[in-house]
Amino acid sequence: MKNIIIVTGASSGIGQEFILQMDTAFSKIDEFWMIARREDRMEEIAKVCEHKTKIIPMDLMDEYAMDDLEALLEEEEAIVRILVNAAGFGLIGEFDELSLEEQLDMLRVNCEALTKMTYICLPYMPKGSRIIQMASAAAFLPQRNFAIYAATKSYVLSFSRALNREVNYRGIYVTAVCPGPVNTEFFDIAEKYVSSKAIKKLTMISSESCVKAALRASYQKKSMVVPGICMKAFLLLTKIVPHEVILKLTDLV
Ligand SMILES: NC(=O)c1ccc[n+]([C@@H]2O[C@H](COP(=O)([O-])OP(=O)(O)OC[C@H]3O[C@@H](n4cnc5c(N)ncnc54)[C@H](OP(=O)(O)O)[C@@H]3O)[C@@H](O)[C@H]2O)c1
């Protein structure tokens, strides 16, 4: 039996920050399992961790790799204390100008892989375990030029809140994290074809503060957290102003 924490998207940005903050915060964990494609990046992060780490280089879109992970959980008699689904990416641009395949990959990583990871880990999660799902403030409202990404994050938020209701009676808690822009490599990929609006950069928070808020909310068993004052205000706006009005206004910015 082995108490583990699993983090997807562990090779950079928010996932990497989860590893670093949890490494210093948790003592009763035997191993951190780090999942992403870039093995060299995870090896660098593992070097500074106090805990034992298992680096699992895998493409989350690969069905067979997921099956291997499921087998590994059983083989190692893993007890998953925390699952953090942080892997994900976005692409800015108009729907019919971006490639269909790249946009379908967004669905595969942001929705399908997150769903499958959650499904295969749940049988290994006892009472007191927690799941942290990286959604986004993009979940609150449709977004022109970020249509598929915003839709994937609405899925993550809705799924996570519903799942939280389903597993609470077993003492398992799910927290959806909804930050606005966070200073990571995310925008290097998102801006591959089209740059984002300057206002996004103005509201940017650090991955440190995003993860700190996420871990606090998870500890407090909250179903959802919105890090940063700007995005809290944005959420309020989306609750009181008709979405069509906000969409027209955002076209002007
Ligand atoms: N940064 C933001 O502004 C922001 C705002 C709101 C929400 N989020 C969400 O937060 C999460 C983390 O993003 P980030 O800001 O940390 O971006 P990031 O620095 O680009 O990290 C993304 C992570 O996802 C992994 N990943 C992507 N595709 C993968 C695949 N097919 N298989 C396995 N791993 C894959 C990447 O690893 P490899 O490339 O090594 O595979 C990387 O570790 C994402 O879900 C993102 O949507 C980000």
Side-chain angles (χ1 to χ4, degrees):
M1 294 267 188
K2 203 184 258 185
N3 286 298
I4 65 164
I5 287 178
I6 302 182
V7 179
T8 73
S11 63
S12 72
I14 295 169
Q16 168 180 340
E17 187 59 31
F18 267 111
I19 297 274
L20 297 177
Q21 290 194 24
M22 293 193 294
D23 183 49
T24 52
F26 297 104
S27 56
K28 291 179 186 157
I29 295 295
D30 299 309
E31 226 168 58
F32 278 65
W33 288 16
M34 301 163 68
I35 298 176
R37 290 165 300 183
R38 287 170 295 174
E39 191 172 3
D40 53 334
R41 295 280 294 261
M42 293 190 284
E43 273 165 3
E44 288 304 310
I45 299 159
K47 276 185 198 159
V48 298
C49 285
E50 297 281 326
H51 284 86
K52 208 172 155 203
T53 53
K54 188 189 284 298
I55 293 167
I56 307 174
M58 72 183 256
D59 185 340
L60 284 163
M61 293 189 288
D62 178 349
E63 271 183 50
Y64 299 109
M66 278 280 193
D67 292 345
D68 289 348
L69 180 71
E70 197 170 9
L72 193 64
L73 284 166
E74 195 178 338
E75 209 177 283
E76 303 250 339
E77 296 183 65
I79 301 169
V80 182
R81 296 289 173 188
I82 301 180
L83 165 66
V84 179
N85 274 309
F89 77 99
L91 272 184
I92 300 167
E94 294 205 2
F95 171 68
D96 61 355
E97 286 178 3
L98 293 173
S99 97
L100 177 61
E101 213 39 51
E102 283 183 308
Q103 293 189 89
L104 292 177
D105 283 350
M106 254 189 280
L107 296 176
R108 291 180 187 116
V109 179
N110 299 0
C111 301
E112 198 177 321
L114 174 140
T115 307
K116 199 159 180 188
M117 277 300 301
T118 307
Y119 193 85
I120 68 173
C121 287
L122 263 173
Y124 297 90
M125 301 188 86
K127 190 172 178 201
S129 304
R130 291 181 271 146
I131 300 174
I132 300 176
Q133 312 278 40
M134 280 312 301
S136 165
F140 304 155
L141 192 74
Q143 273 195 40
R144 182 180 165 186
N145 284 340
F146 220 13
I148 299 295
Y149 178 74
T152 65
K153 293 302 177 177
S154 292
Y155 169 88
V156 174
L157 179 58
S158 172
F159 163 59
S160 304
R161 293 177 71 197
L163 180 67
N164 186 49
R165 303 302 307 166
E166 288 184 21
V167 296
N168 268 186
Y169 81 96
R170 286 197 249 161
I172 300 173
Y173 300 92
V174 185
T175 304
V177 187
C178 302
V182 182
N183 195 4
T184 66
E185 291 165 32
F186 178 85
F187 285 99
D188 299 347
I189 296 164
E191 295 183 331
K192 187 170 157 191
Y193 303 110
V194 179
S195 296
S196 56
K197 291 180 176 175
I199 193 163
K200 288 213 173 178
K201 304 269 162 76
L202 291 175
T203 58
M204 201 166 251
I205 62 169
S206 67
S207 54
E208 288 87 345
S209 64
C210 174
V211 169
K212 208 170 159 195
L215 287 174
R216 194 186 311 117
S218 166
Y219 180 71
Q220 293 169 341
K221 301 174 180 166
K222 289 188 177 163
S223 64
M224 179 181 166
V225 60
V226 184
I229 191 80
C230 293
M231 291 307 126
K232 284 187 179 73
F234 177 59
L235 176 61
L236 183 65
L237 186 80
T238 62
K239 285 181 187 291
I240 55 181
V241 177
H243 285 188
E244 283 308 315
V245 175
I246 306 176
L247 289 174
K248 279 188 187 134
L249 287 174
T250 49
D251 280 351
L252 302 173
V253 184

